[in-house]
Amino acid sequence: MGVISRLPTRSGAGPTDAALVAAARAGEPWAQEALFRRHARMALGLAHRLLPQDNEVDDLVQDCFVSALNRLSSLDNPQAFAAWLGSIVVRAVGKRLRRRRLLSRLGLRVPEEIDADAIAAPSVPGDVAVELRRVYAVVSALPAQARVALILRRVDGLDVPEIARRMGLSQSTVKRRLKTAEEQLERSR
Amino acid sequence: MNDHDNERLAHHVRVDLSEERVDRLWGGVSARLGGPRRARGWVWAGAALCVGAAAVAIVVTRGNDPAKQGTVASAWEGAQLETAADALSVTLVDGSSLKVEPRSRVEVGDRTPSALKLVVARGRIACDVTHREGRSFVVAAGGVEVRVVGTRFSVANEEAEAGRRVEVRVERGVVEVRAAGPGAEVVRVEAGHSWSQVTKTEALAAPEPETAPEVEAEPIAPAPAGKPHAAHGARPAADARELFEQARGQWRAGHIAEAARTYQALLVSHPRDPRAGLAAFELGRLRMDRLNDMPGAVQALEQAVALAPGAELREDALARLVAASAAAHDRARCTRARTRYLTDYPGGVHHRTVSAATCD
């Protein structure tokens, strides 16, 4: 087993992501589990925001972790595991949305229905609840990339370069997708 | 809304981020990691489950045909339903359903044309039994027998500090429980009630390895050089990696007390190993959820908070520390842990539970 560095983390103790990635690459199951437990909630939250009220979210998150943990050797910057995992989740969601859209067009799948009123957690401030309702009221009608870009921008608060990195698109493409989504959002007012 | 507000929006989306869900997801992920050897294991496990499920179906299908009894016996005798990380649901042909919880083993026991008996060797089974005139449905665990007419109930056979603990919970209807041991009484357990009995290891139908005295919870300190550690099932010279894997294996096999002792051995002999935080957390969970050892859980969880290899794990450990110290009636620790959690994680996933915890 490689030497595990003990640089301080957000928790104040324990190995860094880079050290865990190094150990996981060396085949240490405990390091895989530590990476999972450290980032599972981030991945679940992200997947839920992109696919709200969807019963396939657990499967998707599991697929993403299996994929990430099996492909650790392709991660250039081990300390950036979280961002890398986030981009895997975002792209997996995009792929799933495109497939669903195709199936809906072929009449093989009932179009998605999102209960926008049930998105916000209880005791959310009124303005936040209104904004969440507005966003989620339009997303099911949007093309996959526009939907993902809108949620990453409006709900996760990411900037355009970061959205582009997560989605694997150019910044100009992301801007076009956001423009489409924002126009739809404006029409819904 | 500006960017600052947008950043806050993500935190207000309703998401189940419970520890149970994370555990379940990890069960699915870990089962799919590890390469060909593990994959083959799952194939065999899946095949065994299919055979087991088919055998149960055969038993019930042919249960009303005495003429076929002799030929059916060889097909189902000794069949097992065994689960790893995921639960298994089986629907019998009469509409009865069985749910075998994760890390459980259920064997098909004796059968006559008018009776079916399942034996819970370890773990828990939940049964929703359809009433059938003239057929008895029995679930046995550790010498305890639960006799059913038509009801919904669960039977657990789990490792406890003093041996094994069998618990029966009834959700609907009534069951009759015959406790283990000669001349044991028969107790009727009604819906909404539960019954439990702790039996010593040697009294069990499913034999367990001989158990050594439980290692007392002690402050963590490196083991003296050359002095073997007392933990049962853990070789003194084992390195941290070996101990960690050994503990996981014992847990998966349902040997909870052994797994706890091995985690404890790891913490004593390798307190500075990077696995120590996770080991302390797992030890805390085992003592809290499976061994009902709240003071021990408090000690392990305090270590987990100090050693946690991630903010999320530390948050979980701190939240559990509140609950465990409340259950252990350790008011000072509970209050301290609650204050610490609420200060460190004002928007934490356990915020509501921790806020509502009563330390008095």
Side-chain angles (χ1 to χ4, degrees), chain A residues 141-172:
Chain A
L142 290 172
Q145 288 184 345
R147 168 187 178 148
V148 171
L150 181 71
I151 293 173
L152 291 180
R153 178 82 188 104
R154 287 276 182 160
V155 181
D156 281 46
L158 302 185
D159 58 19
V160 170
E162 184 56 29
I163 295 172
R165 268 195 294 276
R166 297 270 175 112
M167 295 182 71
L169 300 173
S170 68
Q171 290 189 34
S172 55

Side-chain angles (χ1 to χ4, degrees), chain B residues 42-90:
Chain B
W42 274 94
V43 170
W44 283 112
L49 290 177
C50 291
V51 170
V56 173
I58 289 168
V59 171
V60 180
T61 307
R62 301 188 175 185
N64 283 341
D65 188 353
K68 293 179 179 176
Q69 183 189 357
T71 56
V72 173
S74 61
W76 57 265
E77 205 165 273
Q80 292 183 0
L81 296 170
E82 185 156 9
T83 56
D86 295 317
L88 169 76
S89 294
V90 177

Side-chain angles (χ1 to χ4, degrees), chain A residues 29 36 60 63 88 95 131 159 164:
Chain A
F36 174 86
L60 181 132
D63 288 347
I88 291 174
K95 202 170 166 183
E131 181 68 5
D159 58 19

Side-chain angles (χ1 to χ4, degrees), chain A:
Chain A
M1 190 189 87
V3 176
I4 303 299
S5 70
R6 298 194 58 78
L7 296 174
T9 64
R10 192 154 63 94
S11 63
T16 61
D17 274 1
L20 289 176
V21 167
R25 278 174 175 168
E28 296 280 0
W30 71 271
Q32 292 178 331
E33 181 171 357
L35 278 170
F36 174 86
R37 291 192 179 279
R38 186 177 285 185
H39 300 291
R41 291 194 170 106
M42 177 279 290
L44 261 179
L46 177 59
H48 255 289
R49 292 191 293 278
L50 295 170
L51 292 172
Q53 300 153 3
D54 194 300
N55 55 15
E56 291 181 22
V57 162
D58 283 8
D59 287 344
L60 181 132
V61 171
Q62 287 183 338
D63 288 347
C64 290
F65 266 104
V66 170
S67 169
L69 294 172
N70 280 331
R71 291 194 290 132
L72 285 175
S73 55
S74 66
L75 176 58
D76 293 333
N77 175 10
Q79 190 55 34
F81 178 82
W84 182 62
L85 177 68
S87 70
I88 291 174
V89 172
V90 166
R91 290 172 204 195
V93 168
K95 202 170 166 183
R96 200 161 287 216
L97 286 171
R98 286 194 293 278
R99 194 172 68 234
R100 286 180 182 182
R101 200 174 172 85
L102 177 65
L103 290 174
S104 295
R105 281 181 182 164
L106 295 172
L108 298 174
R109 186 184 168 88
V110 179
E112 177 190 26
E113 280 185 22
I114 297 176
D115 179 2
D117 291 329
I119 294 291
S123 72
V124 164
D127 60 330
V128 174
V130 167
E131 181 68 5
L132 281 172
R133 253 198 310 275
R134 275 189 65 224
V135 171
Y136 283 100
V138 302
V139 292
S140 40
L142 290 172
Q145 288 184 345
R147 168 187 178 148
V148 171
L150 181 71
I151 293 173
L152 291 180
R153 178 82 188 104
R154 287 276 182 160
V155 181
D156 281 46
L158 302 185
D159 58 19
V160 170
E162 184 56 29
I163 295 172
R165 268 195 294 276
R166 297 270 175 112
M167 295 182 71
L169 300 173
S170 68
Q171 290 189 34
S172 55
T173 304
V174 168
K175 285 177 187 168
R176 283 201 300 279
R177 302 293 179 261
L178 277 174
K179 185 166 180 288
T180 304
E182 295 284 358
E183 284 171 357
Q184 182 77 20
L185 198 59
E186 199 55 38
R187 278 197 294 275
S188 72
R189 280 186 190 276

Side-chain angles (χ1 to χ4, degrees), chain B residues 140-161:
Chain B
V144 175
E145 280 195 358
V146 184
R147 206 165 286 277
V148 191
V149 177
T151 185
R152 180 183 296 177
F153 67 103
S154 67
V155 179
N157 183 354
E158 295 169 333
E159 210 150 346
E161 292 282 1

